[in-house]
């Protein structure tokens, strides 16, 4: 399968990237990041740089439609079926299932985008801001508790995923 | 499959005049009439918490302000709060130098991730922790005012009773006292001394609870902070109106003052026929049980009509009998029904004249007597006829004229290999028969071709057994019940 996907993804040592995920374009993936099968990371016009310790679950679409580089920081969690087009994402964020983060929004640190929320505001979100609600009724607030680290989850996935899926070889 | 039964196309006319699908109505077996949700009494049966499924008796609920003591709701988004545990290191009781892990609990909302730590509430050592209750700054004053007005009301009541007693007593005295010289009372009255009420009814005049009258101040407690004019407001730290009103006792302005709210109890209701006051629907005591003690849904007593084929030339309706007794069904047009209704009303009114001679007034009759009285039945026929004639109909069915037998529901019928009994049916009317179902052909004549939505109606006559007669010796005679049915045929 490696020969079929003409991907020039630079995968660091220690990253677990399944073969079944779709990588297109110029992508850099940091170490200890776990990318589940069926994820789509498509760098259409510009490169995507993903940091360390991230979890990108199934059916996630990370798409870069601009020519600028899209930078994703460390310790982020992208839950199932979310869609991210934002140009800059900081650390410790959680994008929950079926959420949509638009191109004009930038997440700083510790933000939580709730399930099925569409966030298209043209701003950099305040640290710790939280979006919840659904449809046209999305509300926001600032939370004081930061989302907890996912270290245990990453360790578990690093051990279990290679048993069931083929993992791409690291390519620096 | 719910849409098959919950169809809005076939609607039955309830006694209150509203059209409902059959599955939304009840059938009162005493009045022998359809009752819908709008024309029954709804009563509170039991109060329970929808999360912990705990039954709360009404007296206790009133004390707890209709709130569950264990379950909490998020003050921000109104969802249920979950309890989460963390481990912290605490010096153990035996050896203060050693650190022992201890579980501390806090509440978190699954939807908006609000935690009790945001309100500044410390983590509780027990899972069913003692989270603070919302306290009302004015509760003492409100309680005092309530006592005051309650005592005023009692005084009013006492005075009224005294007046009534005086009136009664005065009549009584004038007849008997002078005759039999009930000396004490008569003497007092003659001498004009006030009534002490010492003859049997010793009641003290209730005292009025004294309350200080409110004093007006120029400056109140909750004055606006003058900084509101100078400082930039951060909306993330201010509560919304919804959040404020939900905690009406405290009405916090800042979001850090929001505390968990006790979850409100839900109600299980029982429904009662408005006329004969028999129960139509009564749930079980156990809150997690979905069964009913009494459930007189019309679905199980009234035969069901479904459009089997919806074409202008070959209209077919399917009738299905889901009750335990076989019934004879007749489909009547509205004209036929009105003639039958008029004749029945005359018949009942003549017998009504005879009942009047026995001096039975309707107010003294209760329960099934009331339902069976000729006056009631005549009134029912009248109202049914007027309601049926009010509905606009722009197509007519050609209905079969004779009675059709609908056998009772038999759950074992599908397993029986023997052929069903041969019933003599008119082959033009009854097209198909299986078990308790019958398909009837009803050709359509349309009045006005231009109107898009066609609507037709007929009156359903079927035999129903009145409740209260279930003895084995006497076979209960089914009474004819008339229910108008209206069918929207759509664009055909």
């Amino acid at each position: 399968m490696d020969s079929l996907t003409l991907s020039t993804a630079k995968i660091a040592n220690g990253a677990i990237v399944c073969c079944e995920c779709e990588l297109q374009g110029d992508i850099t993936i940091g170490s200890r990041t776990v990318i589940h099968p069926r994820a789509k990371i498509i760098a259409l016009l510009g490169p995507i740089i993903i940091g360390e310790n991230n979890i990108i679950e199934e059916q996630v679409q990370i798409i870069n439609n601009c020519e600028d580089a899209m930078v994703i920081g460390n310790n982020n969690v992208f839950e199932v079926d979310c869609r991210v087009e934002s140009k800059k994402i900081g650390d410790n964020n959680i994008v929950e299932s079926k959420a949509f983060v638009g191109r004009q929004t930038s997440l700083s640190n510790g933000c939580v985008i709730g399930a099925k929320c569409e966030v298209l505001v043209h701003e950099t979100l305040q640290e710790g801001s939280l979006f919840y609600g659904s449809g046209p009724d999305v509300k926001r607030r600032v939370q004081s508790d930061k989302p907890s680290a996912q270290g245990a989850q990453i360790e578990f996935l690093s051990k279990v995923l290679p048993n069931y899926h083929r993992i791409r070889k690291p390519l620096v | 499959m719910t849409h098959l039964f919950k169809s809005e196309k076939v609607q039955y006319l309830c006694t209150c005049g509203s059209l409902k699908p059959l599955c939304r109505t009840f059938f009162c077996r005493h009045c022998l009439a359809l009752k819908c949700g709008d024309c029954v009494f709804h009563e509170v049966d039991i109060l329970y918490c929808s999360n912990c499924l705990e039954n709360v008796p009404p007296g206790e609920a009133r004390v707890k302000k209709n709130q569950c003591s264990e379950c909490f709701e998020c003050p921000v988004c109104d969802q249920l709060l979950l309890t989460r545990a963390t481990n912290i290191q605490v010096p153990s009781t035996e050896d203060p130098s050693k650190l022992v892990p201890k579980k501390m609990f806090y509440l978190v909302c699954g939807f908006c991730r609000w935690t009790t730590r945001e309100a500044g509430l410390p983590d509780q050592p027990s899972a069913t922790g003692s989270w603070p209750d919302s306290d009302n700054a004015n509760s003492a004053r409100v309680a005092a005012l309530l006592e005051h007005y309650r005592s005023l009301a009692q005084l009013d009541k006492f005075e009224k009773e005294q007046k009534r007693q005086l009136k009664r007593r005065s009549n009584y005295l004038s007849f008997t006292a002078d005759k039999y010289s009930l000396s004490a009372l008569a003497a007092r009255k003659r001498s004009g001394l006030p009534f002490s009420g010492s003859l049997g009814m010793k009641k003290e005049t209730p005292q009025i609870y004294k309350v200080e009258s409110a004093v007006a101040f120029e400056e109140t407690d909750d004055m606006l902070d003058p900084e509101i004019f100078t400082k930039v407001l951060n909306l993330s730290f201010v509560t919304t109106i919804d959040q404020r009103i939900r905690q009406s006792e405290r009405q916090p302005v800042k979001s850090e003052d929001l505390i968990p709210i006790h979850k409100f109890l839900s109600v299980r209701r029982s429904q009662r026929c408005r006329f004969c006051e028999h129960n139509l629907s009564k749930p079980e005591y156990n809150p997690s049980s979905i069964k009913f003690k009494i459930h007189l849904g019309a679905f199980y007593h009234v035969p069901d009509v479904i459009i089997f084929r919806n074409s202008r030339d070959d209209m077919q309706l399917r009738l299905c009998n889901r009750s335990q007794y076989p019934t004879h069904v007749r489909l009547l047009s509205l004209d036929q029904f009105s003639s039958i209704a008029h004749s029945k009303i005359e018949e009942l009114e003549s017998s009504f004249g005879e009942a009047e001679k026995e001096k039975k007034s309707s107010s003294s009759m209760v329960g099934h007597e009331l339902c069976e009285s000729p006056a009631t039945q005549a009134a029912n026929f009248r109202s049914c006829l007027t309601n049926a004639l009010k509905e606009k109909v722009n197509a007519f069915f050609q209905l079969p004229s004779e009675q059709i037998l609908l056998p009772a529901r038999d759950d074992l019928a599908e397993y029986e290999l023997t052929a069903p009994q041969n019933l003599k049916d008119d082959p033009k009317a009854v097209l198909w028969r299986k078990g308790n179902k019958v398909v009837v052909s009803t050709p359509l004549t349309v009045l006005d071709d231009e109107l898009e939505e066609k609507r037709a109606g007929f009156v359903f006559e079927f035999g129903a057994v009145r409740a209260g007669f279930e003895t084995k010796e006497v076979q209960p005679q089914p009474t004819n019940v008339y229910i108008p049915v209206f069918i929207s045929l759509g664009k055909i």
Side-chain angles (χ1 to χ4, degrees):
Chain A
M1 265 206 258
D2 272 4
S3 51
L4 289 172
T5 52
L6 299 169
S7 140
T8 54
K10 300 186 201 73
I11 305 174
N13 251 329
I16 310 281
V17 181
C18 297
C19 275
E20 278 189 338
C21 72
E22 193 179 314
L23 301 176
Q24 260 186 49
D26 180 11
I27 304 173
T28 312
I29 300 176
S31 82
R32 293 176 60 80
T33 293
V34 179
I35 300 187
H36 288 227
R38 288 260 186 265
K40 272 192 202 171
I41 306 184
I42 301 175
L44 277 178
L45 299 173
I48 297 181
I49 303 169
I50 301 178
E52 305 183 355
N53 279 320
N54 297 305
I55 300 178
I56 299 174
E57 295 189 356
E58 284 85 349
Q59 299 200 338
V60 167
Q61 298 171 43
I62 300 181
I63 301 174
N64 189 3
N65 268 321
C66 325
E67 285 161 358
D68 312 327
M70 180 191 217
V71 177
I72 297 177
N74 308 324
N75 298 313
N76 298 305
V77 178
F78 296 92
E79 290 191 12
V80 173
D81 206 8
C82 69
R83 194 184 153 95
V84 175
E85 294 187 16
S86 153
K87 276 187 249 170
K88 183 160 178 12
I89 296 181
D91 302 333
N92 294 308
N93 300 304
I94 298 180
V95 183
E96 287 188 8
S97 301
K98 290 197 185 273
F100 178 48
V101 185
R103 204 187 307 172
Q104 315 283 4
T105 322
S106 306
L107 301 182
S108 55
N109 301 328
C111 304
V112 178
I113 311 290
K116 224 175 173 194
C117 293
E118 285 185 5
V119 181
L120 307 164
V121 282
H122 189 145
E123 70 176 87
T124 305
L125 298 182
Q126 192 189 354
E127 285 214 12
S129 61
L130 188 148
F131 283 75
Y132 65 98
S134 69
D137 209 18
V138 173
K139 302 186 195 48
R140 73 194 298 183
R141 58 184 212 97
V142 175
Q143 57 163 11
S144 46
D145 258 358
K146 295 289 181 278
S148 49
Q150 300 292 323
Q153 172 84 332
I154 291 179
E155 270 192 47
F156 174 74
L157 287 171
S158 316
K159 287 182 201 144
V160 167
L161 270 180
N163 293 338
Y164 297 97
H165 297 280
R166 275 176 53 188
I167 309 289
R168 281 179 206 257
K169 290 199 190 114
L171 192 79
V172 180
Chain B
M1 284 302 262
T2 50
H3 75 277
L4 186 65
F5 298 131
K6 202 196 159 183
S7 161
E8 299 293 330
K9 290 185 186 169
V10 178
Q11 292 185 321
Y12 288 65
L13 191 72
C14 170
T15 42
C16 61
S18 56
L19 284 175
K20 294 269 159 78
L22 189 67
C23 54
R24 286 250 172 263
T25 52
F26 297 100
F27 184 67
C28 178
R29 286 174 65 208
H30 299 267
C31 308
L32 290 185
L34 274 188
K35 304 281 174 191
C36 68
D38 297 330
C39 56
V40 295
F41 282 137
H42 297 263
E43 294 170 345
V44 170
D45 203 33
I46 18 167
L47 292 157
Y48 70 103
C49 172
S50 50
N51 185 41
C52 56
L53 292 180
E54 184 200 335
N55 255 336
V56 180
E60 203 183 312
R62 208 177 302 133
V63 170
K64 287 199 215 165
K65 296 186 214 167
N66 282 348
Q67 288 169 328
C68 178
S69 50
E70 301 296 330
C71 308
F72 290 92
E73 274 180 353
C74 174
V76 173
C77 64
D78 217 12
Q79 294 291 314
L80 190 70
L81 284 176
L82 310 162
T83 314
R84 265 205 207 150
T86 55
N87 274 325
I88 59 162
Q89 301 291 330
V90 168
S92 77
T93 43
E94 300 120 42
D95 190 2
S97 58
K98 268 194 201 165
L99 286 175
V100 170
K102 189 181 169 191
K103 266 194 181 168
M104 298 291 274
F105 299 90
Y106 63 100
L107 297 173
V108 66
C109 171
F111 192 57
C112 67
R113 291 177 187 245
W114 179 88
T115 65
T116 43
R117 291 170 180 170
E118 286 193 33
L121 296 170
D123 295 350
Q124 299 290 326
S126 69
T128 55
S130 45
W131 299 103
D133 267 333
S134 56
D135 52 341
N136 189 356
N138 299 322
S139 58
R141 173 77 180 156
V142 169
L145 283 170
L146 269 178
E147 262 305 311
H148 172 74
Y149 283 109
R150 205 175 291 147
S151 63
L152 273 181
Q154 269 189 344
L155 186 68
D156 254 348
K157 204 167 97 180
F158 181 73
E159 281 178 359
K160 257 194 208 167
E161 251 183 76
Q162 270 204 326
K163 271 190 205 163
R164 230 189 326 148
Q165 278 173 18
L166 268 173
K167 274 190 200 162
R168 257 199 238 148
R169 285 254 182 89
S170 59
N171 284 335
Y172 175 76
L173 281 174
S174 61
F175 283 124
T176 59
D178 292 342
K179 264 197 212 172
Y180 302 106
S181 357
L182 282 175
S183 52
L185 214 53
R188 278 192 94 90
K189 190 173 183 253
R190 246 179 274 137
S191 59
L193 281 174
F195 234 98
S196 76
S198 55
L199 264 181
M201 305 240 192
K202 244 189 192 164
K203 267 187 198 166
E204 296 165 354
T205 338
Q207 299 295 322
I208 306 176
Y209 186 85
K210 293 257 170 73
V211 133
E212 298 166 2
S213 52
V215 182
F217 290 104
E218 225 182 71
E219 290 196 358
T220 54
D221 282 338
D222 52 349
M223 295 277 280
L224 256 190
D225 202 0
E227 278 188 349
I228 206 167
F229 296 112
T230 51
K231 224 163 89 172
V232 172
L233 189 68
N234 189 351
L235 280 178
S236 334
F237 296 124
V238 175
T239 54
T240 67
I241 291 182
D242 267 337
Q243 292 165 359
R244 226 175 275 189
I245 292 176
R246 208 174 290 139
Q247 297 199 318
S248 49
E249 291 141 333
R250 303 170 68 238
Q251 295 189 24
V253 174
K254 299 188 202 157
S255 18
E256 60 198 16
D257 291 333
L258 288 170
I259 59 168
I261 311 169
H262 283 275
K263 195 173 171 62
F264 278 100
L265 299 171
S266 313
V267 163
R268 277 202 140 192
R269 61 173 177 187
S270 68
Q271 285 157 316
R272 197 184 277 274
C273 175
R274 223 172 253 200
F275 197 69
C276 63
E277 301 204 20
H278 281 102
N279 259 326
L280 292 172
S281 154
K282 201 175 161 76
E284 293 252 344
Y285 183 71
N286 186 5
S288 56
S289 158
I290 55 168
K291 293 191 184 168
F292 289 88
K293 276 187 200 159
I294 304 172
H295 187 63
L296 296 174
F299 191 72
Y300 290 106
H301 294 95
V302 175
D304 186 19
V305 176
I306 292 177
I307 305 173
F308 193 68
R309 177 178 287 184
N310 190 4
S311 79
R312 189 189 280 227
D313 309 317
D314 191 14
M315 191 69 162
Q316 293 174 9
L317 299 174
R318 189 188 82 176
L319 312 170
C320 176
N321 176 23
R322 286 191 182 83
S323 74
Q324 295 167 319
Y325 304 103
T327 57
H328 286 272
V329 164
R330 217 160 41 127
L331 305 176
L332 308 165
S333 71
L334 289 169
D335 300 325
Q336 286 173 313
F337 173 59
S338 50
S339 57
I340 292 180
H342 282 306
S343 62
K344 286 233 167 169
I345 289 173
E346 280 172 21
E347 198 188 300
L348 288 166
E349 284 186 334
S350 59
S351 69
F352 173 60
E354 292 169 16
E356 270 286 282
K357 293 174 194 168
E358 300 177 22
K359 280 190 189 169
K360 265 191 186 175
S361 66
S362 59
S363 56
S364 65
M365 283 194 276
V366 167
H368 65 270
E369 278 185 0
L370 187 59
C371 308
E372 285 174 46
S373 80
T376 323
Q377 291 187 27
N380 280 343
F381 268 112
R382 272 226 181 82
S383 65
C384 185
L385 191 59
T386 41
N387 285 332
L389 291 173
K390 271 188 214 166
E391 296 292 327
K392 287 180 202 159
V393 158
N394 52 20
F396 289 110
F397 287 124
Q398 284 169 28
L399 300 159
S401 48
E402 66 286 312
Q403 280 195 340
I404 305 168
L405 172 68
L406 278 178
R409 180 181 56 155
D410 187 6
D411 292 326
L412 298 172
E414 52 182 310
Y415 301 113
E416 284 178 2
L417 297 171
T418 55
Q421 54 188 142
N422 286 324
L423 296 159
K424 286 186 184 164
D425 288 323
D426 183 7
K428 283 186 215 159
V430 175
L431 298 174
W432 175 85
R433 177 185 280 276
K434 182 179 177 187
N436 59 347
K437 299 180 187 139
V438 155
V439 171
V440 173
S441 150
T442 55
L444 194 67
T445 43
V446 179
L447 279 184
D448 196 348
D449 247 332
E450 285 174 2
L451 294 171
E452 293 212 324
E453 294 287 328
K454 309 275 183 306
R455 210 156 160 245
F458 58 90
V459 176
F460 206 50
E461 178 201 77
F462 67 99
V465 177
R466 193 162 246 137
F469 281 123
E470 276 110 25
T471 52
K472 282 193 183 161
E473 303 103 30
V474 181
Q475 265 297 321
Q477 276 298 320
T479 337
N480 275 342
V481 181
Y482 297 88
I483 299 180
V485 176
F486 293 93
I487 304 184
S488 343
L489 302 161
K491 301 173 191 174
I492 52 165

